[in-house]
Amino acid sequence: MVTIKSRSEIEKMRAAGKITGDALREIEKHIKAGISTLELDKIAFDFIKKQGATPSFLHYNGFPGSICASPNSWVVHGIPSKNIVLKEGDIISIDMGAQKDGYHGDAARTYAVGKVSDEAKKLIEVTKQSFFEGIKYATHGAKLGDVSSAIQEYVEKNGFSVVRDLVGHGIGKNLHEDPNVPNFGHKGRGLKLAQGMTIAVEPMVNAGGYEVVQLDDGWTVETEDGSLSAHYENTILITKGECEILTL
Ligand code: MG
């Protein structure tokens, strides 16, 4: 069931979203060669706690971290580890959420570690821009397929592919709620968006094919062909005008 948030729920989602966006900015300051993804996880945990919030991902379905940290060909759900140390030329996707007063924010960014290849740079930029292309259509009365198809079109026009097996989602009291928010689809199809819906729009974009595989740890999702992957996500609020981005 897709829920419509009340005015007071929206206030709480703004608060959770702000902490989520601020936490990502804090993490970004520490992205450099030599830091492990476990150290980044600790920075996120401490920052979220300091804001009087709780890391949404920690223990979610048993996930052991406060962030998902997915370098290079890893798409999403990488488990933070002291053995994964960033090096010059890597790209690293950080996905995280914060819960405050019972409501969640969820957002992701992909960062370059030092100087990266032209392909990596373009992948990061196209992935981010695809989000903004999609949300141009995220307004009261539009169809979810309008958003999904705009993301897909922009990504494919730039020579990359959108992951099919993982999608965005509604969000609120629960980290994952209805509806599913695919990054591919057809204009004019799907759920009719309405004022007060809160959804996480999160293009996952591969430099190669869209196929992904899950690793033996039960979490990590990697591109099947080993190509690079990037991720960009924000929690948004549907309004009668432009949507409001809650996690910038
Ligand atoms: Mg999400």
Side-chain angles (χ1 to χ4, degrees), residues 30-36 85-90 112-114:
H30 298 271
I31 299 282
K32 58 173 190 301
I35 195 163
S36 74
V85 177
L86 300 185
K87 53 185 197 308
E88 177 86 13
D90 282 346
V113 183

Side-chain angles (χ1 to χ4, degrees), residues 57 95 106 168-169 176 200 202 233:
F57 291 13
D95 188 359
D106 186 3
H169 49 92
H176 295 110
E202 50 175 320
E233 173 183 24

Side-chain angles (χ1 to χ4, degrees), residues 121-153:
K121 205 180 295 172
K122 182 180 172 195
L123 180 68
I124 291 171
E125 281 165 12
V126 167
T127 304
K128 178 177 179 179
Q129 188 57 33
S130 73
F131 165 86
F132 289 98
E133 296 297 324
I135 66 161
K136 285 177 185 169
Y137 298 90
T139 187
H140 182 84
K143 295 291 185 68
L144 197 48
D146 301 345
V147 178
S148 304
S149 64
I151 292 171
Q152 178 180 16
E153 202 171 294

Side-chain angles (χ1 to χ4, degrees), residues 90-105:
D90 282 346
I91 63 170
I92 176 77
S93 298
I94 305 291
D95 188 359
M96 54 150 300
Q99 183 189 33
K100 171 100 171 160
D101 294 332
Y103 289 83
H104 294 273

Side-chain angles (χ1 to χ4, degrees), residues 137-215:
Y137 298 90
T139 187
H140 182 84
K143 295 291 185 68
L144 197 48
D146 301 345
V147 178
S148 304
S149 64
I151 292 171
Q152 178 180 16
E153 202 171 294
Y154 183 78
V155 167
E156 293 180 352
K157 190 174 76 186
N158 280 283
F160 298 134
S161 64
V162 290
V163 172
R164 307 290 204 270
D165 290 0
L166 298 143
V167 296
H169 49 92
I171 177 168
K173 277 187 191 164
N174 300 297
L175 182 59
H176 295 110
E177 299 183 351
D178 287 338
N180 280 338
V181 181
N183 300 301
F184 57 95
H186 298 281
K187 220 172 261 174
R189 303 244 192 105
L191 176 79
K192 195 174 190 179
L193 297 173
Q195 186 173 28
M197 287 180 183
T198 46
I199 57 176
V201 178
E202 50 175 320
M204 288 154 266
V205 177
N206 297 347
Y210 63 74
E211 299 86 354
V212 297
V213 290
Q214 186 162 47
L215 303 191

